[in-house]
Amino acid sequence: TVRGSSCPHLQSGASAKVYGRRASMAMVSRSPFDSARGVGSAPVVKVTSNTWERDSHDLFDFETQQLNSKTFSAQGPITFVRNGADVGIAQDSAAIPSGTDSLVRVVERAGGFWVDRATSASAQKLWMVVRDVAPMGLQLTEGDVIKLGRFKFRVRQLVTGEDGKSARPDLGLDDTCMPCSPETAEDLKAKPCRICLMEGPEEGDPLIMPCQCKGSIQYVHLGCLRQWTTSRLHLGEDPLGSYFYRPTTCELCHAPLPNYMASGDGPRTPLMELPATKAPYVVLESTLRDARQQTRGFHVISLAEKPVRFGRGHESDVRIADVSMSRHHASIRFEHGRFLLHDNNSKFGTLVAMKRPRQLDASRPLALQIGRTVLSLSLCPASSVDVPPTPLPPPAAIQSLAASVLAAASQTPALAEDRTWTNSRRDFLARSEAAAGSRAGSAGSVTLPRLAAQGAELGDADGIRIICRMSF
């Protein structure tokens, strides 16, 4: 546990529970010799954990004060686990007690620290907190999964329109129902359309069987069906072409309607005519299926004139009437060729799923939500850890030991000539310990090996003299 750290990304907290015998998350202790030999210059991973005491739908309340907070620091690989509302650390999976949830692991790779899922089989998804990771907006890419409260959206398509072409919205209509075929039998001349009640097909408007209805309601004109679905889905009401599309079903037999009409070997004809959407626009697929119809929906949203707002308020462009949504929860805007997701200080946060391991950057902290726990990870220099220095012996003992070290250095040929003395290290240590035993008594056996080891890594006589001055 690190308390009172001067690192700007670290907050003070309670002590950390460590699982496993070799867990390396601990206070970083530095002696007064570290600054002379470069010890402690390696970066340290700072971690602050905040766990909501209430467990509710894997949500985290960013406004509550009922939090269990802790702080950690690490200079090596580590795994975070949670038991109830208590977050701890473990060095390996074998040391993780049963009944605990594995949250995330920090690994050292290619000279840097990477954050990844705790195990490959872990069901816990890592969500990046947008308000902390990118306060000015997180850039979206196709395939990203966005979580607003309890609701999840997948970014299916992003169209900038910079090439001057208007791409067709990708609504996944090619992989659903089988296409239907127009009926051309002579006896259809007496068959009525169940919508307009006119008998027989017309030129360019055939009779089709789009569902499983039988009898007098079996057939319908293609034009009549298109007009009915357009009015039902409220398509074409927005001047920019924004709409919400959901695969429709028959109101009578509840069978899903096909997306295309196929006539022999000819091209397929869309069963519904979707409005043109002005670029730039985004297509979001709602992953929360309808409770009654078990169908997914697609939001096609134009950003040509203004950002799109998400929330439960009536002024929101995408309104979701749910208690986990804030009135103005989040927004997406198009800026300099990028689609940016921005959180509006929502109660339950705006999250984006982390798709692959992410490297920690000293200039950009990383905040992850795993269930009801938020981990804030940052990279700071070890010198930012404010801890008490290692206690030194009394001044009299230090003076005696320093004199012993200088005497040993003068008697070692390599040191006397100010050359590197790696080969003379053993001789130097032997002379130092012998001199300390005769001059400093028992004090030398405690402190001199540490002085000698620190001096040996400096590699020259001047370094020994520097250590002696620091000791005074």
Side-chain angles (χ1 to χ4, degrees), residues 133-330:
V133 175
M136 303 305 295
L138 181 66
Q139 182 177 357
L140 295 175
T141 58
E142 292 184 355
D144 284 342
V145 179
I146 304 171
K147 184 178 181 183
L148 309 176
R150 295 185 299 181
F151 288 80
K152 301 175 184 177
F153 300 90
R154 186 168 69 93
V155 181
R156 190 174 185 91
Q157 188 181 20
L158 296 172
V159 178
T160 62
E162 296 177 350
D163 54 358
K165 300 180 181 179
S166 180
R168 176 172 168 264
D170 181 15
L171 304 182
L173 304 182
D174 298 332
D175 52 1
T176 52
C177 301
M178 294 294 294
C180 61
S181 302
E183 303 294 334
T184 57
E186 289 295 330
D187 56 354
L188 289 183
K189 294 181 179 180
K191 298 295 182 179
C193 170
R194 69 182 183 189
I195 295 180
C196 68
L197 302 181
M198 299 294 293
E199 294 182 349
E202 299 181 2
E203 185 177 357
D205 191 13
L207 281 176
I208 60 175
M209 292 188 301
C211 59
Q212 300 176 4
C213 291
K214 304 296 181 181
S216 60
I217 59 174
Q218 183 175 3
Y219 299 98
V220 63
H221 285 122
L222 176 61
C224 294
L225 181 61
R226 285 177 174 176
Q227 185 176 2
W228 173 76
T229 54
T230 300
S231 61
R232 184 181 181 185
L233 296 177
H234 305 285
L235 301 179
E237 296 182 355
D238 188 89
L240 299 178
S242 299
Y243 58 90
F244 174 70
Y245 172 81
R246 180 169 56 195
T248 55
T249 59
C250 176
E251 293 181 327
L252 301 176
C253 67
H254 302 291
L257 299 180
N259 299 313
Y260 295 96
M261 181 187 70
S263 178
D265 296 334
R268 297 187 303 176
T269 302
L271 201 64
M272 288 181 289
E273 295 179 336
L274 301 176
T277 304
K278 187 176 181 180
Y281 65 84
V282 57
V283 179
L284 300 178
E285 178 184 358
S286 176
T287 60
L288 184 64
R289 295 181 179 271
D290 187 276
R292 295 172 298 175
Q293 300 177 349
Q294 293 296 310
T295 56
R296 64 184 188 273
F298 301 88
H299 293 273
V300 182
I301 310 165
S302 173
L303 306 175
E305 295 184 358
K306 64 175 184 178
V308 58
R309 295 177 297 179
F310 299 82
R312 74 169 191 270
H314 291 278
E315 68 281 359
S316 300
D317 301 300
V318 178
R319 183 171 181 266
I320 304 175
D322 187 81
V323 68
S324 65
M325 296 286 296
S326 299
R327 285 181 173 85
H328 180 191
H329 196 104

